[in-house]
Coordinates of all heavy atoms in Angstrom, one line a residue:
M2 N 115.4 84.4 -232.7 CA 116.6 83.6 -233.0 C 117.3 83.1 -231.8 O 117.8 82.0 -231.8 CB 117.6 84.6 -233.7 CG 117.3 84.8 -235.2 SD 117.7 83.2 -236.0 CE 118.1 83.8 -237.6
S3 N 117.4 83.8 -230.7 CA 118.0 83.4 -229.5 C 117.3 82.2 -228.9 O 118.0 81.3 -228.5 CB 118.0 84.6 -228.5 OG 118.2 84.1 -227.2
F4 N 116.0 82.1 -229.0 CA 115.3 81.0 -228.5 C 115.6 79.7 -229.3 O 115.8 78.7 -228.7 CB 113.8 81.3 -228.5 CG 112.9 80.1 -228.1 CD1 112.8 79.8 -226.8 CD2 112.3 79.3 -229.0 CE1 112.0 78.7 -226.4 CE2 111.6 78.2 -228.7 CZ 111.4 77.9 -227.3
G5 N 115.7 79.8 -230.6 CA 116.0 78.7 -231.4 C 117.4 78.1 -231.2 O 117.6 76.9 -231.1
K6 N 118.4 79.0 -231.0 CA 119.8 78.6 -230.7 C 119.8 77.9 -229.4 O 120.5 76.9 -229.2 CB 120.7 79.7 -230.8 CG 121.0 80.2 -232.2 CD 122.0 81.4 -232.2 CE 122.2 81.9 -233.6 NZ 123.1 83.0 -233.6
S7 N 119.2 78.4 -228.4 CA 119.1 77.9 -227.0 C 118.5 76.5 -227.1 O 119.1 75.5 -226.5 CB 118.4 78.8 -226.1 OG 118.2 78.1 -224.9
W8 N 117.4 76.3 -227.8 CA 116.8 75.0 -227.9 C 117.7 74.0 -228.6 O 117.8 72.8 -228.2 CB 115.5 75.2 -228.7 CG 114.7 73.9 -228.8 CD1 113.9 73.3 -227.9 CD2 114.8 73.0 -230.0 NE1 113.4 72.1 -228.4 CE2 114.0 71.9 -229.7 CE3 115.5 73.1 -231.2 CZ2 113.8 70.9 -230.6 CZ3 115.3 72.0 -232.1 CH2 114.5 70.9 -231.8
M9 N 118.4 74.5 -229.7 CA 119.3 73.6 -230.4 C 120.5 73.1 -229.5 O 120.8 72.0 -229.6 CB 119.8 74.3 -231.7 CG 118.7 74.4 -232.7 SD 119.2 75.3 -234.2 CE 120.7 74.5 -234.7
K10 N 121.0 74.1 -228.8 CA 122.1 73.7 -227.9 C 121.7 72.7 -226.8 O 122.3 71.7 -226.6 CB 122.7 74.9 -227.2 CG 123.5 75.8 -228.0 CD 124.1 77.0 -227.2 CE 124.9 77.9 -228.1 NZ 125.3 79.1 -227.3
R11 N 120.5 72.9 -226.2 CA 120.0 72.0 -225.3 C 119.7 70.6 -225.9 O 120.0 69.6 -225.3 CB 118.7 72.6 -224.7 CG 118.4 72.1 -223.3 CD 117.3 72.8 -222.6 NE 117.4 74.2 -222.6 CZ 116.4 75.1 -222.7 NH1 115.2 74.7 -222.8 NH2 116.7 76.4 -222.7
G12 N 119.1 70.6 -227.0 CA 118.8 69.4 -227.7 C 120.1 68.6 -228.1 O 120.2 67.4 -227.9
A13 N 121.1 69.3 -228.5 CA 122.4 68.7 -228.8 C 123.0 68.1 -227.6 O 123.6 67.0 -227.6 CB 123.3 69.7 -229.5
G14 N 122.9 68.8 -226.5 CA 123.4 68.3 -225.2 C 122.7 67.1 -224.7 O 123.4 66.1 -224.3
F15 N 121.4 67.0 -224.8 CA 120.7 65.8 -224.5 C 121.0 64.7 -225.4 O 121.2 63.5 -224.9 CB 119.2 66.1 -224.5 CG 118.7 66.9 -223.4 CD1 117.9 68.0 -223.6 CD2 118.9 66.5 -222.0 CE1 117.4 68.8 -222.5 CE2 118.5 67.3 -221.0 CZ 117.7 68.4 -221.2
L16 N 121.2 64.9 -226.7 CA 121.5 63.9 -227.6 C 122.9 63.3 -227.3 O 123.1 62.1 -227.3 CB 121.5 64.5 -229.0 CG 121.8 63.5 -230.2 CD1 120.8 62.3 -230.2 CD2 121.8 64.2 -231.5
A17 N 123.9 64.2 -227.0 CA 125.2 63.8 -226.7 C 125.2 63.0 -225.4 O 125.9 61.9 -225.4 CB 126.2 65.0 -226.6
A18 N 124.5 63.4 -224.4 CA 124.5 62.7 -223.1 C 123.8 61.3 -223.3 O 124.3 60.3 -222.8 CB 123.7 63.5 -222.1
G19 N 122.7 61.3 -224.1 CA 122.1 60.0 -224.3 C 122.9 59.1 -225.1 O 123.0 57.9 -224.8
S20 N 123.7 59.5 -226.1 CA 124.6 58.7 -226.9 C 125.7 58.1 -226.0 O 126.0 57.0 -226.1 CB 125.2 59.5 -228.0 OG 124.1 59.9 -228.9
L21 N 126.2 59.0 -225.1 CA 127.3 58.5 -224.3 C 126.8 57.5 -223.3 O 127.4 56.5 -223.1 CB 127.9 59.7 -223.5 CG 129.0 59.5 -222.5 CD1 130.2 58.9 -223.3 CD2 129.4 60.7 -221.8
L22 N 125.6 57.7 -222.7 CA 125.0 56.7 -221.8 C 124.8 55.4 -222.5 O 125.1 54.3 -222.0 CB 123.8 57.3 -221.2 CG 123.1 56.4 -220.2 CD1 124.0 56.2 -219.0 CD2 121.8 57.1 -219.7
A23 N 124.2 55.5 -223.7 CA 123.9 54.3 -224.4 C 125.2 53.5 -224.8 O 125.2 52.3 -224.7 CB 123.1 54.6 -225.7
G24 N 126.2 54.3 -225.2 CA 127.5 53.6 -225.6 C 128.1 53.0 -224.4 O 128.6 51.9 -224.5
S25 N 128.1 53.6 -223.2 CA 128.6 53.0 -222.0 C 127.9 51.8 -221.6 O 128.5 50.8 -221.3 CB 128.6 54.0 -220.9 OG 129.3 55.2 -221.1
F26 N 126.6 51.8 -221.7 CA 125.7 50.6 -221.4 C 126.1 49.5 -222.3 O 126.3 48.4 -221.9 CB 124.3 51.0 -221.5 CG 123.3 49.9 -221.2 CD1 123.1 49.4 -219.9 CD2 122.7 49.2 -222.3 CE1 122.3 48.4 -219.7 CE2 121.9 48.1 -222.0 CZ 121.7 47.7 -220.7
Y27 N 126.1 49.8 -223.6 CA 126.4 48.7 -224.6 C 127.8 48.1 -224.4 O 128.0 46.9 -224.3 CB 126.3 49.3 -226.0 CG 126.7 48.3 -227.1 CD1 125.9 47.2 -227.4 CD2 127.9 48.4 -227.7 CE1 126.2 46.3 -228.3 CE2 128.3 47.4 -228.7 CZ 127.5 46.4 -229.0 OH 127.8 45.4 -229.9
A28 N 128.8 49.0 -224.2 CA 130.2 48.5 -223.9 C 130.2 47.6 -222.7 O 130.9 46.6 -222.6 CB 131.1 49.7 -223.8
G29 N 129.5 48.0 -221.6 CA 129.5 47.3 -220.4 C 128.9 45.9 -220.5 O 129.3 44.9 -220.0
I30 N 127.8 45.9 -221.3 CA 127.1 44.6 -221.5 C 127.9 43.7 -222.5 O 128.1 42.5 -222.2 CB 125.7 44.8 -222.0 CG1 124.8 45.6 -221.0 CG2 125.0 43.5 -222.4 CD1 124.6 44.9 -219.7
A31 N 128.3 44.3 -223.6 CA 128.8 43.5 -224.6 C 130.2 42.9 -224.4 O 130.6 41.9 -224.8 CB 128.8 44.3 -225.9
Y32 N 131.0 43.7 -223.6 CA 132.4 43.3 -223.5 C 132.9 43.2 -222.1 O 134.1 43.2 -221.8 CB 133.3 44.3 -224.2 CG 133.0 44.4 -225.7 CD1 132.3 45.5 -226.2 CD2 133.3 43.4 -226.6 CE1 131.9 45.6 -227.5 CE2 132.9 43.5 -227.9 CZ 132.3 44.6 -228.4 OH 131.9 44.6 -229.7
A33 N 132.0 43.1 -221.1 CA 132.4 43.0 -219.7 C 133.3 41.7 -219.5 O 132.9 40.6 -219.9 CB 131.3 43.0 -218.8
A34 N 134.4 41.9 -218.9 CA 135.3 40.7 -218.6 C 134.6 39.8 -217.6 O 133.8 40.2 -216.8 CB 136.6 41.2 -218.0
D35 N 134.9 38.5 -217.7 CA 134.3 37.6 -216.8 C 134.7 37.9 -215.3 O 135.8 38.2 -215.0 CB 134.9 36.2 -217.1 CG 134.3 35.0 -216.4 OD1 134.0 35.2 -215.2 OD2 134.1 34.0 -217.0
P36 N 133.7 38.0 -214.4 CA 133.9 38.4 -213.0 C 134.9 37.4 -212.3 O 135.5 37.8 -211.3 CB 132.5 38.4 -212.4 CG 131.6 37.7 -213.3 CD 132.2 37.7 -214.7
R37 N 135.1 36.3 -212.8 CA 136.0 35.3 -212.2 C 137.5 35.8 -212.4 O 138.3 35.5 -211.6 CB 135.9 33.9 -212.8 CG 134.5 33.3 -212.3 CD 134.3 32.0 -213.0 NE 133.8 32.3 -214.3 CZ 133.1 31.5 -215.0 NH1 132.7 30.3 -214.6 NH2 132.7 31.8 -216.3
L38 N 137.7 36.7 -213.4 CA 139.0 37.3 -213.4 C 139.3 38.2 -212.2 O 140.4 38.2 -211.7 CB 139.2 38.1 -214.7 CG 139.2 37.3 -216.0 CD1 139.2 38.2 -217.2 CD2 140.4 36.4 -216.1
D39 N 138.3 38.9 -211.8 CA 138.4 39.8 -210.6 C 138.6 38.9 -209.4 O 139.4 39.2 -208.5 CB 137.1 40.6 -210.4 CG 137.0 41.7 -211.4 OD1 138.1 42.2 -211.9 OD2 135.9 42.1 -211.7
Q40 N 137.9 37.8 -209.3 CA 138.1 36.8 -208.2 C 139.5 36.3 -208.2 O 140.1 36.2 -207.1 CB 137.1 35.7 -208.2 CG 135.6 36.2 -208.0 CD 134.6 35.1 -208.3 OE1 135.0 34.1 -208.9 NE2 133.4 35.3 -207.8
A41 N 140.0 35.9 -209.3 CA 141.4 35.4 -209.5 C 142.4 36.5 -209.0 O 143.3 36.2 -208.3 CB 141.7 35.0 -210.9
A42 N 142.2 37.7 -209.4 CA 143.1 38.8 -209.0 C 143.0 39.0 -207.5 O 144.1 39.2 -206.9 CB 142.7 40.1 -209.7
D43 N 141.9 38.9 -206.9 CA 141.8 39.0 -205.5 C 142.5 37.9 -204.8 O 143.2 38.1 -203.8 CB 140.3 39.0 -205.0 CG 139.5 40.2 -205.4 OD1 140.2 41.3 -205.7 OD2 138.3 40.2 -205.3
N44 N 142.4 36.7 -205.3 CA 143.1 35.5 -204.7 C 144.6 35.6 -204.8 O 145.3 35.3 -203.9 CB 142.6 34.2 -205.3 CG 141.2 33.9 -204.8 OD1 140.8 34.3 -203.7 ND2 140.5 33.1 -205.6
V45 N 145.0 36.1 -206.0 CA 146.5 36.3 -206.2 C 147.0 37.4 -205.2 O 148.1 37.2 -204.6 CB 146.8 36.7 -207.7 CG1 148.2 37.1 -207.8 CG2 146.5 35.5 -208.6
T46 N 146.2 38.5 -205.0 CA 146.6 39.5 -204.1 C 146.8 39.0 -202.7 O 147.7 39.3 -202.0 CB 145.6 40.7 -204.2 OG1 145.6 41.2 -205.5 CG2 146.0 41.8 -203.2
K47 N 145.8 38.2 -202.3 CA 145.8 37.5 -201.0 C 147.0 36.6 -200.8 O 147.7 36.6 -199.8 CB 144.5 36.8 -200.7 CG 143.4 37.7 -200.5 CD 142.1 36.9 -200.3 CE 140.9 37.8 -200.3 NZ 139.6 37.1 -200.3
A48 N 147.3 35.8 -201.9 CA 148.4 34.9 -201.8 C 149.7 35.6 -201.7 O 150.6 35.2 -200.9 CB 148.4 34.0 -203.1
I49 N 149.9 36.7 -202.4 CA 151.1 37.6 -202.3 C 151.3 38.1 -200.9 O 152.4 38.0 -200.3 CB 151.1 38.7 -203.3 CG1 151.2 38.2 -204.8 CG2 152.2 39.7 -203.0 CD1 151.0 39.2 -205.9
A50 N 150.2 38.6 -200.3 CA 150.2 39.1 -199.0 C 150.6 38.0 -198.0 O 151.4 38.3 -197.0 CB 148.9 39.8 -198.6
L51 N 150.1 36.8 -198.1 CA 150.4 35.7 -197.2 C 151.8 35.3 -197.3 O 152.5 35.1 -196.3 CB 149.5 34.5 -197.5 CG 148.0 34.7 -197.1 CD1 147.1 33.6 -197.6 CD2 147.9 34.8 -195.5
L52 N 152.3 35.2 -198.6 CA 153.7 34.9 -198.8 C 154.7 35.9 -198.2 O 155.7 35.6 -197.6 CB 154.0 34.6 -200.3 CG 153.4 33.3 -200.8 CD1 153.5 33.4 -202.3 CD2 154.2 32.2 -200.3
E53 N 154.3 37.2 -198.4 CA 155.2 38.3 -197.9 C 155.2 38.3 -196.3 O 156.2 38.6 -195.7 CB 154.7 39.6 -198.4 CG 155.0 39.8 -199.9 CD 154.5 41.1 -200.5 OE1 153.6 41.7 -199.9 OE2 155.0 41.5 -201.5
A54 N 154.1 37.8 -195.7 CA 154.0 37.8 -194.3 C 154.6 36.5 -193.7 O 154.8 36.5 -192.4 CB 152.6 38.0 -193.8
A55 N 154.8 35.5 -194.5 CA 155.3 34.2 -194.0 C 156.7 34.4 -193.3 O 157.5 35.1 -193.8 CB 155.4 33.2 -195.1
Q56 N 156.8 33.7 -192.2 CA 158.1 33.7 -191.5 C 158.7 32.4 -191.5 O 158.1 31.4 -191.1 CB 157.8 34.2 -190.0 CG 157.3 35.6 -190.0 CD 157.0 36.0 -188.5 OE1 157.3 35.4 -187.6 NE2 156.5 37.2 -188.4
N57 N 159.9 32.4 -191.9 CA 160.7 31.1 -192.0 C 161.2 30.7 -190.7 O 161.8 31.6 -189.9 CB 161.8 31.3 -193.0 CG 162.5 30.1 -193.4 OD1 162.1 29.0 -193.1 ND2 163.6 30.2 -194.2
P58 N 161.2 29.4 -190.3 CA 161.7 29.0 -189.0 C 163.2 29.3 -189.0 O 163.8 29.5 -187.9 CB 161.4 27.5 -189.0 CG 160.6 27.2 -190.1 CD 160.5 28.4 -191.0
D59 N 163.9 29.3 -190.1 CA 165.3 29.5 -190.2 C 165.6 30.7 -191.1 O 165.7 30.6 -192.3 CB 166.1 28.3 -190.7 CG 167.6 28.5 -190.7 OD1 168.1 29.6 -190.3 OD2 168.3 27.7 -191.2
P60 N 165.6 32.0 -190.5 CA 165.6 33.2 -191.3 C 166.9 33.2 -192.2 O 166.8 33.9 -193.2 CB 165.7 34.3 -190.3 CG 165.4 33.7 -189.0 CD 165.5 32.2 -189.1
K61 N 167.9 32.5 -191.9 CA 169.1 32.5 -192.8 C 168.9 31.8 -194.1 O 169.5 32.1 -195.1 CB 170.3 31.8 -192.0 CG 170.7 32.6 -190.8 CD 171.9 31.9 -190.1 CE 172.2 32.6 -188.8 NZ 173.2 31.8 -188.1
R62 N 167.9 30.9 -194.1 CA 167.7 30.2 -195.4 C 166.6 30.8 -196.2 O 166.4 30.5 -197.4 CB 167.3 28.7 -195.0 CG 168.5 28.1 -194.3 CD 168.3 26.6 -194.0 NE 168.0 25.9 -195.2 CZ 167.2 24.8 -195.2 NH1 166.7 24.4 -194.1 NH2 167.0 24.2 -196.4
E63 N 165.7 31.6 -195.7 CA 164.6 32.3 -196.4 C 163.9 31.4 -197.4 O 163.7 31.7 -198.6 CB 165.2 33.5 -197.2 CG 164.3 34.4 -197.9 CD 163.1 34.9 -197.0 OE1 163.3 35.2 -195.9 OE2 162.0 34.9 -197.6
F64 N 163.4 30.3 -196.9 CA 162.6 29.3 -197.7 C 163.3 28.8 -198.9 O 162.7 28.5 -199.9 CB 161.2 29.9 -198.0 CG 160.3 30.2 -196.8 CD1 160.2 31.5 -196.4 CD2 159.7 29.2 -196.2 CE1 159.4 31.8 -195.3 CE2 158.9 29.5 -195.1 CZ 158.7 30.8 -194.6
G65 N 164.6 28.9 -198.9 CA 165.4 28.4 -200.0 C 165.2 29.2 -201.3 O 165.4 28.8 -202.4
G66 N 164.7 30.4 -201.1 CA 164.5 31.3 -202.3 C 163.1 31.1 -203.0 O 162.7 31.8 -203.9
H67 N 162.4 30.0 -202.5 CA 161.2 29.7 -203.2 C 160.0 30.7 -202.9 O 159.2 30.9 -203.8 CB 160.7 28.2 -202.8 CG 161.7 27.2 -203.2 ND1 162.0 26.9 -204.5 CD2 162.6 26.5 -202.5 CE1 162.9 26.0 -204.6 NE2 163.3 25.7 -203.3
R68 N 160.0 31.2 -201.7 CA 159.0 32.2 -201.4 C 159.1 33.4 -202.3 O 158.1 33.9 -202.9 CB 159.1 32.6 -199.9 CG 158.0 33.6 -199.5 CD 158.3 34.0 -198.0 NE 159.5 34.9 -198.0 CZ 159.4 36.3 -198.1 NH1 158.2 36.9 -198.1 NH2 160.5 37.0 -198.0
V69 N 160.3 33.9 -202.5 CA 160.6 35.1 -203.3 C 160.2 34.8 -204.8 O 159.6 35.6 -205.4 CB 162.1 35.5 -203.2 CG1 162.4 36.6 -204.2 CG2 162.4 36.0 -201.8
K70 N 160.5 33.6 -205.2 CA 160.2 33.2 -206.6 C 158.7 33.1 -206.8 O 158.1 33.5 -207.8 CB 160.8 31.8 -207.0 CG 162.3 31.9 -207.2 CD 162.9 30.6 -207.6 CE 164.4 30.6 -207.7 NZ 165.0 29.3 -207.9
A71 N 158.0 32.5 -205.8 CA 156.5 32.4 -205.8 C 155.9 33.8 -205.9 O 155.0 34.0 -206.7 CB 156.0 31.7 -204.6
I72 N 156.4 34.8 -205.1 CA 155.9 36.1 -205.1 C 156.1 36.7 -206.5 O 155.2 37.3 -207.1 CB 156.5 37.0 -204.0 CG1 156.1 36.5 -202.7 CG2 156.2 38.5 -204.2 CD1 156.8 37.1 -201.5
A73 N 157.2 36.5 -207.1 CA 157.5 37.1 -208.4 C 156.6 36.5 -209.5 O 156.0 37.2 -210.4 CB 159.0 36.9 -208.8
N74 N 156.4 35.1 -209.4 CA 155.5 34.5 -210.3 C 154.0 35.0 -210.2 O 153.3 35.1 -211.2 CB 155.5 32.9 -210.1 CG 156.8 32.3 -210.6 OD1 157.5 32.9 -211.5 ND2 157.2 31.2 -210.1
L75 N 153.6 35.2 -208.9 CA 152.2 35.7 -208.7 C 152.1 37.1 -209.2 O 151.0 37.4 -209.8 CB 151.9 35.6 -207.2 CG 151.6 34.2 -206.7 CD1 151.6 34.2 -205.2 CD2 150.3 33.7 -207.3
K76 N 153.1 37.9 -209.1 CA 153.0 39.3 -209.7 C 152.9 39.2 -211.2 O 152.2 40.0 -211.8 CB 154.2 40.1 -209.2 CG 154.1 40.5 -207.7 CD 155.2 41.3 -207.3 CE 155.0 41.7 -205.8 NZ 156.1 42.6 -205.3
R77 N 153.6 38.3 -211.8 CA 153.5 38.1 -213.3 C 152.1 37.6 -213.7 O 151.5 38.0 -214.6 CB 154.6 37.2 -213.8 CG 156.0 37.8 -214.0 CD 156.9 37.0 -214.8 NE 157.3 35.7 -214.2 CZ 158.2 35.6 -213.3 NH1 158.9 36.6 -212.9 NH2 158.5 34.4 -212.8
A78 N 151.6 36.7 -212.8 CA 150.2 36.2 -213.1 C 149.2 37.4 -212.9 O 148.3 37.4 -213.7 CB 149.9 35.1 -212.1
M79 N 149.4 38.2 -212.0 CA 148.5 39.4 -211.8 C 148.5 40.3 -213.1 O 147.5 40.7 -213.5 CB 148.9 40.2 -210.6 CG 148.0 41.4 -210.3 SD 146.3 40.9 -209.9 CE 146.6 40.5 -208.1
A80 N 149.7 40.5 -213.6 CA 149.8 41.3 -214.8 C 149.1 40.6 -216.0 O 148.4 41.3 -216.8 CB 151.3 41.5 -215.2
S81 N 149.2 39.3 -216.1 CA 148.5 38.6 -217.1 C 147.0 38.6 -216.9 O 146.2 38.7 -217.9 CB 148.9 37.1 -217.1 OG 150.3 37.0 -217.6
I82 N 146.5 38.5 -215.7 CA 145.1 38.7 -215.4 C 144.6 40.0 -215.9 O 143.5 40.2 -216.5 CB 144.8 38.4 -213.9 CG1 145.0 37.0 -213.6 CG2 143.3 38.8 -213.6 CD1 145.0 36.7 -212.1
Q83 N 145.4 41.1 -215.6 CA 145.0 42.4 -216.0 C 144.9 42.5 -217.5 O 144.0 43.1 -218.1 CB 146.0 43.4 -215.4 CG 145.6 44.9 -215.7 CD 144.2 45.2 -215.1 OE1 143.8 44.8 -214.0 NE2 143.4 46.0 -215.9
K84 N 145.9 41.9 -218.2 CA 145.9 42.0 -219.7 C 144.7 41.2 -220.2 O 144.0 41.6 -221.2 CB 147.1 41.4 -220.2 CG 148.3 42.3 -220.0 CD 149.6 41.6 -220.6 CE 150.8 42.5 -220.3 NZ 152.0 41.9 -220.7
A85 N 144.3 40.1 -219.6 CA 143.1 39.3 -220.0 C 141.8 40.2 -219.8 O 141.0 40.2 -220.7 CB 143.0 38.0 -219.2
K86 N 141.7 40.9 -218.7 CA 140.6 41.8 -218.5 C 140.5 42.9 -219.6 O 139.5 43.2 -220.1 CB 140.6 42.4 -217.1 CG 140.3 41.4 -216.0 CD 140.5 42.0 -214.6 CE 139.6 43.2 -214.4 NZ 139.7 43.7 -213.1
E87 N 141.7 43.5 -219.9 CA 141.7 44.6 -220.9 C 141.3 44.0 -222.2 O 140.6 44.7 -223.0 CB 143.1 45.2 -220.9 CG 143.4 46.0 -219.7 CD 144.9 46.4 -219.6 OE1 145.7 46.1 -220.5 OE2 145.2 47.0 -218.5
F88 N 141.8 42.8 -222.6 CA 141.4 42.2 -223.9 C 140.0 41.9 -223.9 O 139.3 42.2 -225.0 CB 142.2 40.9 -224.0 CG 141.9 40.2 -225.3 CD1 142.5 40.6 -226.5 CD2 140.9 39.2 -225.4 CE1 142.2 40.0 -227.7 CE2 140.6 38.6 -226.6 CZ 141.2 39.0 -227.7
A89 N 139.4 41.4 -222.9 CA 137.9 41.1 -222.9 C 137.1 42.3 -223.0 O 136.0 42.3 -223.5 CB 137.6 40.3 -221.6
D90 N 137.6 43.4 -222.4 CA 136.8 44.7 -222.4 C 137.0 45.5 -223.8 O 136.3 46.4 -224.0 CB 137.2 45.6 -221.3 CG 136.7 45.0 -220.0 OD1 135.7 44.2 -220.0 OD2 137.3 45.4 -218.9
R91 N 137.9 45.0 -224.6 CA 138.2 45.7 -225.9 C 137.1 45.2 -226.9 O 136.9 44.0 -227.1 CB 139.6 45.4 -226.3 CG 140.1 46.2 -227.4 CD 141.5 45.9 -227.8 NE 142.2 45.2 -226.7 CZ 143.2 44.4 -226.9 NH1 143.8 44.2 -228.1 NH2 143.8 43.7 -225.9
P92 N 136.5 46.2 -227.6 CA 135.6 45.8 -228.7 C 136.3 44.9 -229.7 O 137.4 45.1 -230.1 CB 135.1 47.1 -229.3 CG 135.5 48.1 -228.3 CD 136.7 47.6 -227.5
A93 N 135.5 44.0 -230.3 CA 136.1 43.1 -231.3 C 136.3 44.0 -232.6 O 135.5 44.9 -232.9 CB 135.2 41.9 -231.6
K94 N 137.3 43.6 -233.4 CA 137.5 44.3 -234.7 C 136.4 43.8 -235.6 O 135.9 42.7 -235.5 CB 138.8 44.0 -235.2 CG 140.0 44.6 -234.4 CD 141.3 44.2 -235.0 CE 142.4 44.8 -234.1 NZ 143.7 44.5 -234.6
P95 N 135.9 44.7 -236.5 CA 134.9 44.3 -237.5 C 135.3 43.0 -238.2 O 136.4 42.9 -238.7 CB 134.8 45.5 -238.4 CG 135.4 46.6 -237.7 CD 136.4 46.1 -236.7
G96 N 134.3 42.1 -238.3 CA 134.6 40.9 -239.0 C 135.2 39.8 -238.1 O 135.4 38.7 -238.5
K97 N 135.6 40.2 -236.9 CA 136.3 39.2 -236.0 C 135.5 39.2 -234.7 O 135.3 40.3 -234.1 CB 137.7 39.5 -235.8 CG 138.6 39.4 -237.0 CD 140.0 39.7 -236.7 CE 140.8 39.7 -238.0 NZ 142.2 40.0 -237.8
G98 N 135.2 38.1 -234.2 CA 134.5 38.0 -232.9 C 135.5 37.6 -231.8 O 136.6 37.1 -232.1
H99 N 135.1 37.7 -230.6 CA 135.9 37.2 -229.5 C 135.7 35.7 -229.5 O 134.6 35.2 -229.6 CB 135.4 37.7 -228.1 CG 135.9 39.1 -227.8 ND1 136.0 40.1 -228.8 CD2 136.3 39.7 -226.7 CE1 136.5 41.2 -228.2 NE2 136.6 41.0 -227.0
K100 N 136.8 34.9 -229.3 CA 136.7 33.5 -229.3 C 136.7 33.1 -227.8 O 137.4 33.6 -227.0 CB 137.9 32.8 -230.0 CG 137.9 33.1 -231.5 CD 139.0 32.4 -232.1 CE 139.1 32.6 -233.6 NZ 140.2 32.0 -234.3
K101 N 135.8 32.1 -227.5 CA 135.8 31.6 -226.1 C 136.6 30.3 -226.1 O 136.4 29.4 -227.0 CB 134.4 31.3 -225.7 CG 133.6 32.5 -225.3 CD 132.4 32.1 -224.6 CE 131.7 33.4 -223.9 NZ 130.6 33.0 -223.1
H102 N 137.5 30.2 -225.2 CA 138.3 29.0 -225.0 C 137.9 28.4 -223.6 O 137.8 29.1 -222.7 CB 139.8 29.3 -225.0 CG 140.2 29.8 -226.3 ND1 140.4 28.9 -227.4 CD2 140.5 31.0 -226.8 CE1 140.8 29.7 -228.4 NE2 140.9 30.9 -228.1
H103 N 137.6 27.1 -223.6 CA 137.2 26.5 -222.3 C 138.3 25.5 -221.9 O 139.0 24.9 -222.5 CB 135.9 25.7 -222.5 CG 134.7 26.7 -222.7 ND1 134.1 27.4 -221.7 CD2 134.2 27.1 -223.9 CE1 133.2 28.1 -222.2 NE2 133.2 27.9 -223.6

């Protein structure tokens, strides 16, 4: 009896591991977000860093407030990019597919 239970536990473990691996592979292939979203996020991050490091010739005017607004807009864009990636990685609901917009 002990041998049978041990074999069943081992078999169940292999089955669970195989299912998890297959599910991860399928999810990665079927719903991977477009890698250009990562590139866009990298570019936005660089743009924010450049704007934060920018030095105004007249520190009293601080670029007329436009630098600060640009940074805020880029941070909102970054949040939208993240939401787009999360949406792309989410499985489609049954009966509904992901629509591609160009």
Side-chain angles (χ1 to χ4, degrees):
M2 279 290 210
S3 163
F4 176 77
K6 287 181 181 179
S7 172
W8 180 83
M9 286 175 55
K10 284 182 184 178
R11 206 173 305 144
F15 285 127
L16 182 62
S20 297
L21 182 62
L22 182 61
S25 298
F26 177 77
Y27 175 74
I30 296 296
Y32 300 106
D35 189 319
R37 289 173 285 204
L38 292 173
D39 290 327
Q40 293 170 345
D43 290 343
N44 288 333
V45 170
T46 299
K47 290 175 188 175
I49 291 170
L51 290 169
L52 286 166
E53 289 176 339
Q56 296 180 5
N57 193 7
D59 182 3
K61 293 178 185 176
R62 296 183 58 211
E63 184 51 40
F64 296 103
H67 299 290
R68 182 185 72 93
V69 172
K70 288 179 186 176
I72 292 169
N74 288 336
L75 286 166
K76 287 182 179 181
R77 280 195 294 279
M79 183 65 83
S81 291
I82 292 168
Q83 185 59 39
K84 287 179 183 178
K86 288 174 58 175
E87 289 169 4
F88 178 84
D90 289 339
R91 192 175 344 155
K94 293 181 180 177
K97 296 182 181 181
H99 281 38
K100 293 182 182 179
K101 282 193 170 185
H102 297 281
H103 294 278

